[in-house]
Amino acid sequence: MANKVVTPKVFRNLRCFARCLNTAPTVPPMNFTGNYDATNVTTTPTLQPTDQILVGPKEKVINFDDVRELFMGVSTSKLIKSTLTLQMASIEPMVDLGVWVMNSKLMHMPIFREVILGFVKSTFYEHFCAGKDLTEVRKTVSKLSSVGLKGMLDYGVEHATENESCDQSMKVFLQTVESTKSLPSSSVSFVVVKITAICTPKLLKRMSDLLRWEQKNPSFNLPWKQKTLPVFAESSPLYHTSEKPEPLTVEEESDLQLAHDRLMTICKRCLELDVELLIDAEDTAIQPAIDYFVYSAAIKYHKDDHPLIFGTIQAYLKDAKERMVIAKKSAEKMGVPMGFKLVRGAYMSSENEVASKFGVQSPIHDGIQQTHDCFNSCAEFMLGEIANGSGAVVLATHNIESGKLAASKAIELGIRKDSEKLQFAQLYGMAEGLSFGLRNAGFQVSKYLPFGPVGQVMPYLIRRAEENRGLLATSAFDRQLMRKELTRRLKVATS
């Protein structure tokens, strides 16, 4: 029987396919749904934006004016393909259509699936992903290294469902760490690990519930809990756990020990090969357990006074800075160097839905400016810590203004531009102008490199595209810079 194909809404109600170039560098964080015009901003001290951030009287920290210098080393064919791909990615109806197609029964038809994945591979996949396996990743990292950028290797695995898939994920993570030995020196900044790939989300939810209940009632006993840093602040949401949860079963404690052993195995190999490990963040339902894993591992594994393991702080959460400061100060008292990756956040829709279900306020900032202020304030705090010789930070941002502010503050505090304790990061294929601008200014810059077979990685990336429409909108600034450079090269070629 033929599959019934329902016409997607995008065909019935197409929006305008052409977007005007957005020259404003400040855009909403990923899929932000709050009040963009909110006037109630955080009272936390923040870096103050200016139109031009200067090193001296005439020298800009980041120079976007000289596109020739900005895209030096990037081929014309690469610029053309990048411009076209980013244009397609910025068209919301195309994102809607892609999501519909990938989730439709059409993908169960071998011929149709082959055609779709072939198109995706030659366009979006090749632009946003580092390759199908570590052999292709090595080529991508080498190309990045040749233009002065580093790679953050991210195996694009989905959430694990049982111990067997957790073990398989660990093996790939270890292979990824091992692969750095055959790459150019200092070409890889991090190997990225998702705790949900080595510990099932179901168990992480159970652990998070128990950790939240312990926060409510400190006398609550968690026999499995190891030495860690604080995972909550006074402002942290605890509404997910309204009733006292049942203790972990014997089987769950066994699975937890297996997950802990997997992470320790990865950490040990990272330490042996001097490869830093970055742990991604998830939604607040399971983030407490992830922070617990990160902090307990960071206490055990570090490189003298430099962190080996970096946790992730999502600045769109109201308790983001308070949690980060508490964990950082606690680590300092213990003599443990702590590193953080700072991002804006990626689970806004789900967080708002869960909070609404419980009848409580969303844990996310009410306005876009509050999120910007929180990110900049967190960055300022960590830069101050680094200037005082403690900790490290990865500022993962596509926001031009945040990049300029942080770069200027680092210089003001006397932080060496080539310091390994301060790094900037952007997604592969995104924010190229900012990446090259920071590189030209002398800072350490990495690109986040998801990899894996196209059929495995693309569903993940398309879901991210659907959630992160605001992120794709930032490509307008990149497209403008690329078109300017292409126009310059055309004039040179025809003169």
Side-chain angles (χ1 to χ4, degrees):
M1 181 181 295
N3 289 324
K4 182 179 180 181
V5 180
V6 180
T7 306
K9 183 178 179 181
V10 66
F11 286 152
R12 303 193 298 270
N13 185 26
L14 284 177
R15 285 164 282 188
C16 177
F17 269 65
R19 283 188 179 212
C20 296
L21 283 175
N22 176 13
T23 57
T26 301
V27 298
M30 296 181 280
N31 198 35
F32 193 82
T33 56
N35 177 11
Y36 295 174
D37 300 318
T39 56
N40 296 323
V41 298
T42 56
T43 57
T44 309
T46 61
L47 299 172
Q48 296 302 313
T50 59
D51 292 333
Q52 290 186 351
I53 306 297
L54 305 178
V55 178
K58 296 182 180 180
E59 182 186 359
K60 295 180 182 178
V61 171
I62 307 175
N63 182 8
F64 297 108
D65 297 330
D66 189 348
V67 290
R68 179 179 180 276
E69 180 183 13
L70 202 62
F71 294 107
M72 186 176 295
V74 182
S75 68
T76 298
S77 60
K78 174 69 173 176
L79 281 177
I80 293 173
K81 189 171 184 178
S82 295
T83 302
L84 293 174
T85 302
L86 288 174
Q87 180 64 47
M88 286 190 291
S90 70
I91 299 170
E92 289 198 17
M94 184 164 287
V95 175
D96 293 336
L97 177 59
V99 172
W100 177 83
V101 168
M102 294 300 292
N103 292 326
S104 73
K105 293 182 179 180
L106 292 172
M107 294 302 291
H108 298 298
M109 300 168 60
I111 296 179
F112 184 85
R113 178 181 175 84
E114 184 177 348
V115 171
I116 290 298
L117 292 185
F119 169 76
V120 167
K121 185 179 186 303
S122 63
T123 52
F124 302 108
Y125 177 85
E126 291 183 356
H127 183 83
F128 295 113
C129 299
K132 67 180 180 180
D133 52 31
L134 287 170
T135 300
E136 292 189 358
V137 170
R138 290 188 188 97
K139 296 177 182 178
T140 302
V141 171
S142 295
K143 290 178 182 178
L144 286 175
S145 182
S146 69
V147 294
L149 301 176
K150 296 184 178 184
M152 303 166 72
L153 309 187
D154 173 38
Y155 173 51
V157 63
E158 294 291 309
H159 290 178
T161 55
E162 76 291 311
N163 282 321
E164 184 178 355
S165 58
C166 289
D167 289 337
Q168 182 58 38
S169 295
M170 181 192 68
K171 290 178 182 179
V172 179
F173 289 139
L174 288 173
Q175 291 170 2
T176 304
V177 174
E178 294 282 347
S179 73
T180 62
K181 293 190 298 184
S182 62
L183 289 166
S185 177
S186 301
S187 62
V188 173
S189 55
F190 291 93
V191 167
V192 180
V193 166
K194 296 177 179 65
I195 297 297
T196 53
I198 58 175
C199 181
T200 65
K202 181 179 179 180
L203 180 54
L204 291 171
K205 176 64 168 64
R206 290 274 289 122
M207 292 171 61
S208 295
D209 286 344
L210 290 163
L211 289 167
R212 274 188 287 265
W213 197 260
E214 182 195 42
Q215 178 69 10
K216 293 179 179 181
N217 182 5
S219 65
F220 189 59
N221 181 38
L222 300 178
W224 47 266
K225 188 177 178 182
Q226 300 188 18
K227 192 174 183 180
T228 186
L229 304 175
V231 300
F232 298 104
E234 288 295 326
S235 59
S236 296
L238 303 175
Y239 55 79
H240 303 81
T241 310
S242 56
E243 297 180 356
K244 182 180 178 180
E246 292 294 323
L248 294 182
T249 65
V250 173
E251 183 180 1
E252 287 174 327
E253 285 201 28
S254 175
D255 288 345
L256 171 56
Q257 185 59 50
L258 289 173
H260 177 78
D261 291 345
R262 292 183 193 106
L263 181 58
M264 294 303 104
T265 299
I266 296 169
C267 291
K268 182 180 179 181
R269 194 57 181 142
C270 283
L271 186 62
E272 291 171 348
L273 295 180
D274 194 23
V275 178
E276 291 174 2
L277 192 66
L278 193 153
I279 309 295
D280 270 343
E282 302 283 347
D283 60 88
T284 57
I286 62 175
Q287 188 60 40
I290 292 173
D291 287 339
Y292 163 78
F293 271 109
V294 172
Y295 297 153
S296 59
I299 290 173
K300 187 173 182 179
Y301 292 97
H302 51 86
K303 303 181 294 182
D304 297 325
D305 65 341
H306 190 81
L308 177 76
I309 300 162
F310 285 62
T312 299
I313 295 292
Q314 301 188 94
Y316 71 172
L317 294 171
K318 295 174 182 176
D319 69 338
K321 185 177 180 182
E322 189 180 2
R323 280 192 300 110
M324 184 181 70
V325 171
I326 290 174
K328 176 66 179 63
K329 293 301 183 181
S330 296
E332 191 173 330
K333 288 181 181 179
M334 296 171 61
V336 174
M338 192 64 220
F340 294 97
K341 179 182 75 166
L342 185 59
V343 301
R344 276 174 167 75
Y347 297 92
M348 294 187 178
S349 294
S350 59
E351 294 289 9
N352 287 332
E353 289 173 5
V354 171
S356 177
K357 177 182 177 182
F358 281 97
V360 298
Q361 288 188 346
S362 173
I364 298 169
H365 287 302
D366 298 327
I368 179 62
Q369 189 57 49
Q370 291 172 304
T371 296
H372 291 327
D373 288 347
C374 183
F375 184 97
N376 293 336
S377 183
C378 289
E380 184 177 32
F381 168 76
M382 284 305 300
L383 291 174
E385 293 290 290
I386 293 169
N388 291 327
S390 174
V393 69
V394 178
L395 300 178
T397 180
H398 292 189
N399 186 287
I400 305 294
E401 197 65 23
S402 289
K404 292 195 298 182
L405 291 169
S408 178
K409 189 65 177 180
I411 293 172
E412 177 188 321
L413 293 172
I415 299 173
R416 287 178 30 240
K417 291 182 180 181
D418 61 349
S419 171
E420 294 294 328
K421 293 190 174 183
L422 168 62
Q423 299 188 49
F424 291 88
Q426 290 81 39
L427 293 175
Y428 183 59
M430 294 292 294
E432 305 290 68
L434 181 58
S435 296
F436 290 131
L438 287 164
R439 174 208 62 184
N440 291 349
F443 291 98
Q444 301 285 316
V445 184
S446 295
K447 302 297 279 189
Y448 194 91
L449 304 177
F451 71 92
V454 60
Q456 172 183 308
V457 175
M458 281 314 300
Y460 165 81
L461 290 180
I462 288 181
R463 282 195 294 275
R464 297 293 80 79
E466 184 182 30
E467 294 174 356
N468 305 336
R469 295 175 190 275
L471 177 63
L472 291 174
T474 65
S475 68
F477 186 66
D478 264 353
R479 299 198 310 273
Q480 185 184 48
L481 292 174
M482 291 177 183
R483 287 168 180 166
K484 186 176 179 181
E485 170 60 3
L486 286 170
T487 300
R488 187 198 66 79
R489 292 185 184 186
L490 179 61
K491 288 181 179 179
V492 171
T494 57
S495 63

